[in-house]
């Protein structure tokens, strides 16, 4: 990744409406760096596919501009954009063999026979399917079709590849295997990838940066660790990873700590992230692994009494559901470390956490 | 079986029966059950479809008249070796004369006359009048008596025709259906020029059906595409429009074409009013081949649209998008990616339309006039008017075999499993 070169894709104030009544994409501004693996992550219907389709040229933007390598492409038809694309159902041409599928983009570009052969051979080796060239897509397994689709999108050496939920149809093991494979292909070729998924684990595994979509808006655009550790708003905190929510009202903000009165159960010290003033409603966000059961006296400022409701043994940790501050769905992940006190259901415990692990976000 | 498993371990079920035999037993039970389920339909098809068709093909070679009503004459005529003498000997004349008299008594002589007339046009009265006159003759010599009754009995041609209708089975109906006949020496020759109609008619029917199929495909393709790609609301509306012809009677539809296309009809009136053509040279668009083709394309169009639509419906738009993202222009994406996937639909629709068209009867009969008639109209004519069922059956049989041959050809070229009806 070279930060000084211009972005390969720029969305500038892009809006999109299908019916003239609802904005499916509301004012999208997004720069995608050359060689980057950027994931659009969001729940179904949040406008991810629409963004991808506008970039690929199959849907016009209602407003705004999309630049590809600095060139506006609003009036460039899809076949002149030179963007590789992997579709969710793979869209491999069923009446052509794997070889013919891969040859298609090359023959369209009038490459000579030897070059076509060289490139297809290389692409098939890249996806580890060299002996499948003569098969029809229908004779391949889901994972193999997936690989052929990736190979076809890359065989003509595009600078940019779009993938719309490409692993959605695969089972869990295969999906994880393919995630690594796509990631490795990306790293070895240096191609820019825009990847769409609604699976947060997939996004966290694969991406350089993740754009979290909701309701036609990019909620946060950051690296995976940033996104997980420092969510900027309540939606992101809730959508990425597991999250305990406590609703309350801001009492006082001073520097990098604030005091929040949690509804019906007292005062909590928290890190102000997305709040602006006293009296404002806020959502406190707490990761389950950052909460301690029975913390040593005086180590953390926030300590509350709770009752263990449920224990689920998961090997490396014990998922503990605790009734605390009037919430009976408060989750604590207790590491299964040696010498850890065994908990019993219905036991009374103390639950505590540090100020910086408790993020005060917007109210919704 | 034994050799195949020799040396290997034979797998058995818990009670020691070889696994393969057990499997076969269970499968056989399932097969028998499945067969029982289709049995009623199979019987129905057998009785209402296969049996009548077999009968029809048989009737095309069946030749019972002479051997049934004049059995002795039939035998005698067949025994006569026509290459040896110009006319049969006296004893053959005698047998034929006695059978003719007998047939007149049995009141079956008319049937014999009709049958001979098919073979030798204009010979009906030869039989009936000879039979009448001979019934008054007491005794031979019969050759003389018959020649006196009608001088045609002295022609070799007459006897050759009689010899041809004598066998129990004949190829002459099939030959006639192909514009051929036997000459007086029993060799197969073409019919005289002015009596050759069926081959031309078969060829015409074939071309017209192919043309109608092509026209239907060209008209149906865009509309099916539209139906398959538009939102449900619009595609439902289009579907209703396509199916509308199905909901009106065939007669009404055909009549409305007459109203539209006749020389004093709507279309001609409009063109005259617009000054496109003069009032005196109105265009003849019905009661000829144009009328037949227009009306049949209209009637058969849904049979092309429906299979095409159902195939197109299953083609995801992402294929064309994928092709375009790979650099293909819309035209190339259509031709290389979309079109090949619709071929099964075109195949299914074409077979359907073609087979319906090649045997279509009612529309050509109503709007075809004299020049727009197809082979089925002549089959109907021989069934209903001329009552030459043998010839009708032969024409039908040839049509059937022709269609089967085309079907076979289609299977070789396109592959029948490549056909998709939905
Ligand atoms: N072709 C279309 N016509 C009308 N509305 C559409 C179309 N495609 C998507 N939408 C609507 O736009 C919204 C966003 O859809 P989409 O971009 O597919 O979301 P995602 O890919 O994030 O699930 C949805 O509410 C969907 O109903
Ligand atoms: Mg989508």
């Amino acid at each position: 990744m070279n930060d000084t070169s211009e972005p390969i894709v720029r969305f500038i104030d892009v809006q999109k409406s299908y019916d003239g009544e609802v904005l499916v994409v509301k004012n999208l501004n997004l720069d995608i760096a050359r060689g980057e693996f950027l994931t659009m992550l969001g729940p179904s219907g949040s406008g991810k596919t629409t963004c991808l389709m506008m970039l690929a040229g199959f849907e016009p933007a209602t407003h705004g501009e999309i630049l590809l390598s600095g060139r506006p492409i609003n009036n460039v038809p899809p076949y002149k954009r030179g963007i590789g694309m992997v579709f969710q159902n793979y869209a491999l041409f069923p009446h052509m063999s794997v070889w013919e599928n891969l040859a298609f983009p090359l023959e369209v570009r009038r490459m000579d026979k030897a070059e076509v052969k060289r490139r297809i051979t290389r692409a098939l080796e890249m996806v580890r399917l060299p002996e499948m060239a003569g098969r029809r897509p229908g004779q391949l397994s889901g994972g193999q079709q997936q690989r052929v689709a990736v190979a076809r999108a890359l065989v003509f050496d595009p600078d940019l590849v779009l993938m719309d939920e490409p692993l959605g149809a695969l089972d869990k093991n295969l999906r994880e295997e393919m995630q690594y494979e796509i990631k490795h292909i990306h790293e070895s070729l240096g191609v820019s990838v825009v990847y769409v998924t609604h699976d947060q684990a997939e996004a966290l595994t694969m991406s350089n940066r993740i754009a979290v979509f909701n309701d036609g808006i990019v909620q946060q655009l950051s690296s995976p660790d940033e996104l997980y550790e420092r969510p900027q708003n309540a939606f992101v905190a809730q959508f990425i990873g597991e999250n305990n929510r406590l609703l309350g009202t801001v009492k006082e903000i001073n520097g990098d700590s604030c005091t929040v009165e949690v509804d019906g159960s007292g005062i909590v010290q928290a890190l102000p992230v997305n709040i602006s003033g006293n009296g404002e409603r806020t959502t406190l966000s707490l990761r389950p692994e950052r909460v301690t059961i029975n913390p040593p006296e005086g180590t953390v400022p926030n300590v509350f009494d709770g009752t263990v409701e449920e224990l689920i043994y998961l090997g490396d940790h014990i998922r503990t559901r605790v009734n605390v501050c009037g919430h009976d769905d408060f989750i604590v992940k207790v590491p299964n470390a040696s010498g850890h006190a065994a908990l019993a259901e219905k036991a009374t415990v103390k639950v505590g956490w540090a100020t910086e692990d408790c993020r005060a976000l917007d109210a919704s | 079986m034994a050799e195949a498993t020799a040396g290997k371990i034979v797998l058995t079920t818990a009670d020691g029966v070889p696994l393969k035999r057990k499997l076969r037993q269970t499968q056989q039970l399932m097969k028998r059950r499945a067969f029982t389920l289709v049995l009623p339909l199979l019987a129905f098809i057998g009785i209402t479809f296969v049996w009548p068709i077999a009968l029809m093909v048989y009737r095309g070679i069946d030749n019972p008249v002479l051997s049934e009503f004049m059995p002795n004459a039939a035998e005698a005529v067949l025994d006569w070796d026509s290459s040896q003498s110009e006319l049969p000997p006296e004893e053959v004349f005698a047998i034929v004369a006695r059978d003719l008299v007998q047939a007149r008594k049995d009141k079956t002589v008319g049937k014999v006359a009709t049958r001979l007339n098919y073979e030798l046009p204009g010979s009906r009265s030869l039989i009936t009048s000879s039979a009448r006159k001979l019934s008054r003759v007491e005794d031979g010599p019969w050759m003389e008596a018959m020649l006196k009754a009608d001088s045609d009995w002295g022609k070799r041609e007459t006897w050759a025709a009689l010899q041809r209708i004598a066998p129990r089975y004949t190829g002459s109906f099939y030959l006639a259906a192909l514009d051929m006949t036997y000459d007086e020496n029993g060799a197969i020759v073409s019919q005289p020029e002015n009596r050759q109609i069926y081959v031309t008619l078969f060829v015409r029917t074939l071309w017209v059906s192919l043309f109608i199929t092509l026209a239907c495909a060209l008209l149906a393709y865009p509309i099916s595409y539209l139906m398959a790609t538009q939102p449900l609301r619009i595609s439902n509306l289009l579907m209703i429009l396509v199916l509308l012809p199905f909901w009106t009677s065939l007669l009404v539809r055909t009549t409305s074409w007459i109203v539209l296309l006749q020389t004093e009809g709507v279309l001609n009136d409009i063109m005259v009013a617009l000054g496109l053509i003069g009032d005196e040279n109105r265009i003849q668009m019905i009661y000829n081949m144009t009328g037949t083709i227009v009306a049949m394309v209209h009637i058969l169009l849904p049979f092309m649209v429906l299979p095409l639509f159902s195939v197109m419906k299953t083609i995801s738009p992402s294929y064309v998008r994928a092709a375009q993202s790979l650099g293909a222009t819309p035209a190339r994406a259509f031709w290389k990616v979309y079109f090949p996937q619709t071929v099964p639909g075109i195949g299914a629709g074409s077979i359907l339309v073609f087979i319906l068209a090649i045997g279509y009867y009612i529309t050509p009969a109503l709007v075809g006039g004299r020049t727009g008639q197809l082979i089925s109209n002549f089959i109907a004519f021989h069934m209903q008017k001329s009552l030459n069922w043998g010839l009708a059956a032969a024409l039908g049989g040839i049509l059937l075999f022709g269609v089967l041959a085309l079907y076979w050809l289609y299977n070789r070229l396109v592959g029948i499993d490549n056909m998709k009806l939905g």
Side-chain angles (χ1 to χ4, degrees):
Chain A
M1 225 191 304
N2 186 352
D3 286 336
T4 56
S5 73
E6 66 175 338
I8 184 160
V9 175
R10 298 194 71 178
F11 286 93
I12 304 169
D13 296 335
V14 172
Q15 295 182 323
K16 172 71 185 177
S17 172
Y18 284 106
D19 51 8
E21 284 166 17
V22 184
L23 277 179
V24 172
V25 175
K26 302 170 184 157
N27 208 23
L28 176 68
N29 282 289
L30 181 63
D31 288 1
I32 300 167
R34 213 163 265 281
E36 185 177 28
F37 195 118
L38 182 128
T39 298
M40 294 178 174
L41 172 67
S44 182
S46 57
K48 311 177 299 286
T49 299
T50 304
C51 288
L52 220 56
M53 286 299 158
M54 287 192 289
L55 183 50
F58 297 119
E59 288 290 347
T62 312
H63 173 82
E65 195 136 47
I66 303 171
L67 306 186
L68 185 65
S69 305
R71 235 164 21 102
I73 53 167
N74 285 14
N75 293 319
V76 179
Y79 59 91
K80 285 191 182 154
R81 296 193 181 190
I83 298 175
M85 191 150 182
V86 180
F87 291 79
Q88 173 159 17
N89 56 4
Y90 316 135
L92 295 175
F93 307 140
H95 57 293
M96 298 183 189
S97 67
V98 168
W99 184 278
E100 288 163 333
N101 263 282
L102 292 182
F104 187 85
L106 306 177
E107 278 164 4
V108 167
R109 290 174 172 74
R110 300 181 192 285
M111 277 181 198
D112 64 71
K113 284 249 159 53
E115 175 70 4
V116 168
K117 188 163 181 224
R118 197 182 63 75
R119 285 196 184 216
I120 295 177
T121 313
R122 195 189 58 186
L124 282 176
E125 268 163 16
M126 178 180 75
V127 296
R128 301 189 284 115
L129 287 174
E131 64 293 343
M132 298 292 175
R135 299 246 191 125
R136 292 280 171 100
Q139 298 166 319
L140 300 178
S141 72
Q144 289 169 334
Q145 292 184 32
Q146 167 64 57
R147 293 204 193 119
V148 174
V150 170
R152 190 180 66 176
L154 289 166
V155 72
F156 60 101
D157 282 346
D159 294 333
L160 177 64
V161 177
L162 314 181
M163 302 192 185
D164 189 358
E165 312 213 9
L167 308 181
L170 303 182
D171 62 49
K172 188 169 169 292
N173 285 339
L174 203 52
R175 199 159 64 215
E176 282 168 6
E177 191 187 322
M178 283 305 299
Q179 286 171 9
Y180 290 111
E181 229 166 279
I182 290 176
K183 185 76 191 138
H184 289 153
I185 289 172
H186 164 251
E187 277 159 6
S188 63
L189 296 183
V191 60
S192 314
V193 177
V194 180
Y195 191 96
V196 164
T197 182
H198 63 259
D199 178 344
Q200 43 132 334
E202 193 168 299
L204 293 175
T205 322
M206 301 177 79
S207 324
N208 299 126
R209 282 196 302 162
I210 298 172
V212 180
F213 272 67
N214 189 38
D215 205 14
I217 291 177
V218 176
Q219 303 283 340
Q220 186 171 349
L221 173 63
S222 341
S223 60
D225 53 336
E226 177 85 14
L227 206 60
Y228 185 82
E229 311 258 341
R230 286 183 284 282
Q232 291 301 316
N233 61 38
F235 175 80
V236 177
Q238 189 65 22
F239 192 70
I240 309 280
E242 228 178 339
N243 179 50
N244 291 311
R245 278 151 49 102
L246 299 173
L247 296 177
T249 313
V250 180
K251 284 281 164 223
E252 192 187 348
I253 307 179
N254 40 24
D256 47 7
S257 112
C258 63
T259 317
V260 174
E261 179 172 359
V262 173
D263 298 350
S265 50
I267 300 292
V268 170
Q269 297 295 322
L271 180 74
V273 178
N274 203 357
I275 50 173
S276 49
N278 296 347
E280 198 179 329
R281 297 286 296 162
T282 179
T283 308
L284 297 178
S285 158
L286 253 173
R287 296 290 182 203
E289 66 272 22
R290 297 296 173 94
V291 181
T292 329
I293 299 271
N294 296 333
E297 200 75 31
T299 47
V300 287
N302 301 306
V303 179
F304 291 90
D305 288 327
T307 324
V308 176
E309 295 285 340
E310 191 180 12
L311 291 164
I312 299 173
Y313 184 77
L314 287 170
D316 60 337
H317 70 269
I318 297 146
R319 204 180 135 85
T320 312
R321 189 158 64 81
V322 183
N323 187 342
V324 79
C325 302
H327 294 265
D328 68 351
D329 55 355
F330 196 92
I331 304 294
V332 183
K333 284 185 183 169
V334 182
N336 194 1
S338 62
H340 199 279
L343 292 172
E345 284 183 16
K346 297 297 166 205
T348 310
V349 289
K350 286 202 182 306
V351 175
W353 58 86
T355 306
E356 62 272 24
D357 289 332
C358 181
R359 301 169 65 80
L361 307 172
D362 57 314
S364 68
Chain B
M1 214 40 222
E3 293 91 327
T5 49
K8 288 188 221 153
I9 302 159
V10 179
L11 292 173
T12 59
T13 56
D15 51 359
V17 184
L19 202 55
K20 284 200 173 158
R21 180 161 8 124
K22 195 78 181 173
L23 190 67
R24 218 162 341 123
Q25 280 170 0
T26 40
Q27 280 174 344
Q28 220 149 45
L29 197 70
M30 264 153 47
K31 274 185 199 154
R32 222 171 293 149
R33 196 172 305 156
F35 185 73
T36 323
L37 286 177
V38 296
L39 197 61
L41 183 61
L42 215 60
F44 180 79
I45 287 178
I47 293 167
T48 61
F49 186 71
V50 179
W51 178 237
I53 284 182
L55 266 187
M56 179 197 74
V57 172
Y58 172 75
R59 207 179 257 280
I61 57 168
D62 193 21
N63 188 30
V65 175
L66 204 66
S67 51
E68 194 173 318
F69 301 130
M70 295 171 58
N72 302 327
E75 210 171 304
V77 170
L78 279 178
D79 281 345
W80 167 54
D81 183 353
S82 63
S83 61
Q84 293 298 314
S85 54
E86 179 71 16
L87 287 178
E90 164 67 17
E91 64 260 32
V92 175
F93 272 89
I95 296 170
V96 170
R98 253 178 257 122
D99 263 11
L100 271 175
V101 174
Q102 184 60 42
R104 185 160 183 271
K105 267 192 218 139
D106 299 343
K107 303 205 186 324
T108 54
V109 74
K111 289 192 174 134
V112 176
T114 308
R115 177 67 190 90
L116 189 69
N117 195 51
Y118 293 153
E119 210 66 35
L120 190 68
S123 61
R124 182 186 301 273
S125 64
L126 166 69
I127 296 289
T128 46
S129 71
S130 302
R132 195 176 57 243
K133 286 175 187 160
L134 286 172
S135 62
R136 287 194 293 267
V137 178
E138 296 292 308
D139 215 351
W142 290 102
M143 189 193 278
E144 205 171 300
M146 283 179 78
L147 284 173
K148 203 170 137 229
D150 197 315
S151 62
D152 278 353
W153 288 114
K155 287 187 186 155
R156 185 180 165 77
E157 199 188 343
T158 310
W159 289 98
L162 210 57
Q163 201 171 33
R164 284 203 300 277
I165 68 167
R168 188 65 185 76
Y169 299 103
T170 177
S172 59
F173 291 123
Y174 274 93
L175 283 181
L178 292 169
D179 285 343
M180 284 186 282
T181 185
Y182 294 104
D183 66 4
E184 69 258 24
N185 297 318
I188 295 172
V189 293
S190 300
Q191 293 269 26
E193 200 82 21
N194 59 342
R195 300 195 53 219
Q196 291 184 5
I197 46 171
Y198 299 118
V199 172
T200 334
L201 212 60
F202 272 119
V203 172
R204 185 207 282 171
T205 305
L206 187 71
W207 282 116
V208 167
S209 303
L210 283 175
F211 181 81
I212 287 171
T213 309
L214 186 72
C216 280
L218 288 178
L219 290 175
Y221 204 93
I223 186 83
S224 314
Y225 178 79
L226 214 59
M227 272 162 53
T229 49
Q230 290 299 304
L232 202 63
R233 194 170 43 84
I234 299 176
S235 75
N236 274 346
L237 186 71
L238 288 171
M239 181 61 101
I240 288 172
L241 290 180
V242 165
L243 290 182
L244 210 54
F246 273 148
W247 300 342
T248 36
S249 127
L250 189 73
L251 229 50
V252 172
R253 276 182 279 162
T254 311
T255 321
S256 36
W257 278 114
I258 298 177
V259 171
L260 270 174
L261 296 181
Q262 62 189 338
T263 29
E264 301 300 321
V266 178
L267 210 59
N268 266 310
D269 282 351
I270 290 175
M271 287 196 289
V272 170
L274 290 175
L276 291 175
I277 51 171
D279 199 12
E280 63 286 352
N281 33 13
R282 288 168 172 257
I283 302 168
Q284 177 78 34
M285 288 180 289
I286 203 140
Y287 304 125
N288 56 17
M289 196 46 99
T290 316
T292 299
I293 289 176
V294 168
M296 275 176 70
V297 166
H298 176 228
I299 286 160
L300 295 177
L301 197 58
F303 294 100
M304 185 67 89
V305 172
L306 292 177
L308 258 182
F309 168 71
S310 69
V311 167
M312 286 176 171
K313 192 90 190 139
T314 62
I315 302 175
S316 155
S318 64
Y319 289 120
V320 169
R321 289 186 163 180
Q324 291 193 35
S325 81
L326 294 170
T329 58
R332 187 175 181 126
F334 169 80
W335 187 243
K336 291 279 183 191
V337 173
Y338 191 81
F339 180 77
Q341 295 189 59
T342 61
V343 167
I346 300 177
S350 298
I351 283 238
L352 218 56
V353 170
F354 180 79
I355 286 180
L356 284 172
I358 208 163
Y360 224 76
Y361 161 68
I362 186 80
T363 303
L366 288 174
V367 300
R370 200 176 50 79
T371 56
Q373 300 293 305
L374 299 180
I375 193 72
S376 46
N377 302 104
F378 280 78
I379 296 178
F381 169 78
H382 286 304
M383 292 290 293
Q384 295 162 352
K385 299 273 166 55
S386 81
L387 300 182
N388 188 353
W389 284 19
L391 183 56
L395 289 169
I398 288 174
L399 194 60
L400 176 69
F401 295 129
V403 168
L404 288 180
L406 287 170
Y407 197 69
W408 174 83
L409 194 72
Y410 175 88
N411 189 25
R412 289 294 301 274
L413 295 180
V414 186
I416 210 70
D417 4 323
N418 223 339
M419 182 167 89
K420 221 156 133 194
L421 281 169

